DNA sequence: CGCGCAAGGTGAACGGCTGTAAGTTTTTCT
DNA sequence: AGAAAAACTTACAGCCGTTCACCTTGCGCG
């Protein structure tokens, strides 16, 4: 019997200046719920329960429910970007290796945080844009830095002679979309006729990598 | 002021044998709501309002709320498949032209029915699989026929000499995923650095088409 | 011809969940 | 001590899925 909305009532009040610590706890609670049970289960009240807090206490830190979601998504994009950069740094200096490190880290992120990934790229959490405090500008540029990083990496591959792309920026977008298609479909569909090497095939083809 | 849940109260009772006509009306209402306001707005009650019917009347035709969703999704996949085949038939006998017809029809479907597409491939509508009458077998094979059609078409391209794929089935999956990535991202993101020729670039690359 | 009976459809209601507002208590710092 | 930050309790109105008992219509059959 899994505790569906386990309340964590033991919670010591925060001292004077550090009331903002609850903000982090709220976001952590929302992220947990997102990963466990999906977007629709992240309600203001369930987040409050999980954080061990009364529901109205959340309004000290977030103006409404959608802005919790926005904060979680923004944090998730920042985490994705950080993981991508970490993986690339660990891959050394070989351009081709760095490109694969990026792609594999991207796919791993989606595999390990399915709820978050679906919400980041699913878009269903976006409010009516007018009935809440979340504006279009808040969401329009999510993931842009990571995409730029991919474009730069692909450009490095071209310079190093291991990829033949006449337009690395456009091909980076294509590769980004291919990765997204694979990651998203993987999360959604349980039974799918996946060839074993589908990821490598997709990456190699879209990046126009040499056979060598 | 858009009528948010326009009730259509004028409704004449169905004769003896044709009670099933309400079933079609329910599915049509659910599809309308899906296209207008997204998955979360398709509730049993809102569907009933839109269909001009009292909420409990739905239980004469569907056991659950999730099974309404399942029926709509199944119908949407059938419609997608029909549109793909229609577009290919209209494209004549050239293999390359038929492949592009498939891909463009796929992308058009997503563009023209965004709510439906997101629900078909989003997976968030799936119930707990155990707390409702929808089984895993009902959803596992959705879209399989269309994918097979794409694989056959790509195979035709190879036979006709306009594509160089050593494994048409695997490459068809890759192309399918690429199309999905493009279509899905297009629906979700308003501002994205789309190169103008991104669709053609994606298709040509993933299908390994000749330059000619 | 009339009548039973079932198909088709309602109205009212229950319990539970949601977001949010108002007012109040508790803690901590100065 | 007193002020203010932090969090709580209570409450409201609205929506949800589902159930039960009820009415109406019209077909088939005696």
């Amino acid at each position: 019997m899994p505790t569906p909305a386990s309340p964590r009532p033991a919670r010591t009040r925060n001292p004077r200046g550090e009331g903002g610590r609850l903000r982090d706890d709220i976001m952590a609670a929302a992220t947990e719920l997102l990963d466990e049970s999906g977007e629709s289960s992240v309600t203001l009240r369930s987040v409050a329960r999980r954080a061990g807090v009364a529901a109205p206490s959340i309004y000290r830190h977030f103006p409404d429910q959608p802005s919790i979601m926005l904060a979680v998504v923004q944090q998730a994009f920042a985490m994705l970007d950080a993981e991508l950069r970490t993986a690339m740094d660990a891959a050394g200096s070989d351009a081709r290796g760095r490109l694969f490190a990026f792609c594999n880290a991207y796919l791993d992120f989606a595999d390990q945080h399915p709820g978050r990934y679906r919400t980041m790229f699913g878009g269903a959490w976006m409010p009516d844009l007018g009935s809440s405090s979340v504006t279009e500008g808040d969401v329009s540029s999510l993931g842009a830095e990571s995409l730029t990083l991919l474009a730069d990496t692909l450009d490095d591959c071209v310079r190093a002679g291991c990829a033949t792309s006449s337009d690395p920026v456009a091909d980076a977008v294509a590769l980004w979309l291919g990765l997204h298609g694979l990651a998203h479909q993987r999360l959604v569909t349980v039974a799918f006729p996946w060839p074993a090497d589908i990821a490598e095939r997709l990456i190699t083809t879209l990046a126009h990598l040499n056979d060598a």
Side-chain angles (χ1 to χ4, degrees), chain A:
Chain A
M1 185 173 98
T3 319
S6 56
R8 233 181 281 159
R11 198 190 154 76
T12 60
R13 188 192 212 79
N14 279 319
R16 207 55 172 305
E18 312 176 25
R21 232 161 43 189
L22 177 55
R23 191 177 206 276
D24 298 342
D25 290 359
I26 291 171
M27 287 179 60
T31 304
E32 283 180 31
L33 289 170
L34 193 54
D35 281 346
E36 286 169 18
S37 327
E39 190 168 340
S40 67
S41 72
V42 185
T43 71
L44 191 146
R45 288 179 111 108
S46 73
V47 169
R49 277 191 298 266
R50 175 62 65 101
V53 139
S57 303
I58 291 190
Y59 286 94
R60 298 262 169 200
H61 305 277
F62 296 91
D64 43 32
Q65 189 264 353
S67 56
I68 304 177
M69 225 57 189
L70 174 64
V72 168
V73 167
Q74 283 174 332
Q75 180 184 254
F77 268 104
M79 179 181 305
L80 169 62
D81 196 68
E83 286 189 11
L84 294 175
R85 287 173 201 275
T86 299
M88 282 184 57
D89 288 353
S93 62
D94 175 51
R96 186 189 174 108
R98 286 165 60 81
L99 182 72
F100 270 98
F102 181 103
C103 296
N104 288 325
Y106 183 99
L107 296 174
D108 284 349
F109 181 91
D111 268 343
Q112 284 168 19
H113 312 293
R116 245 176 289 184
Y117 185 89
R118 245 156 68 166
T119 303
M120 291 162 70
F121 294 94
W125 60 274
M126 276 201 305
D128 285 344
L129 254 68
S131 69
S132 94
S133 64
V134 177
T135 75
E136 185 184 326
D138 293 328
V139 307
S140 65
S141 65
L142 290 173
E145 289 117 353
S146 301
L147 177 55
T148 302
L149 178 62
L150 177 61
D152 291 345
T153 307
L154 186 55
D155 201 48
D156 290 347
C157 286
V158 173
R159 281 185 219 280
C162 61
T164 65
S165 169
S166 60
D167 188 343
V169 172
D171 283 327
V173 172
L175 177 52
W176 177 267
L177 294 175
L179 289 174
H180 169 58
L182 172 58
H184 191 250
Q185 192 79 44
R186 258 193 194 159
L187 299 187
V188 164
T189 310
V190 270
F192 196 85
W194 309 108
D197 62 339
I198 185 66
E200 192 182 347
R201 182 179 295 263
L202 206 58
I203 297 166
T204 307
T205 303
L206 284 173
H208 298 279
L209 290 181
N210 297 332
D211 297 336

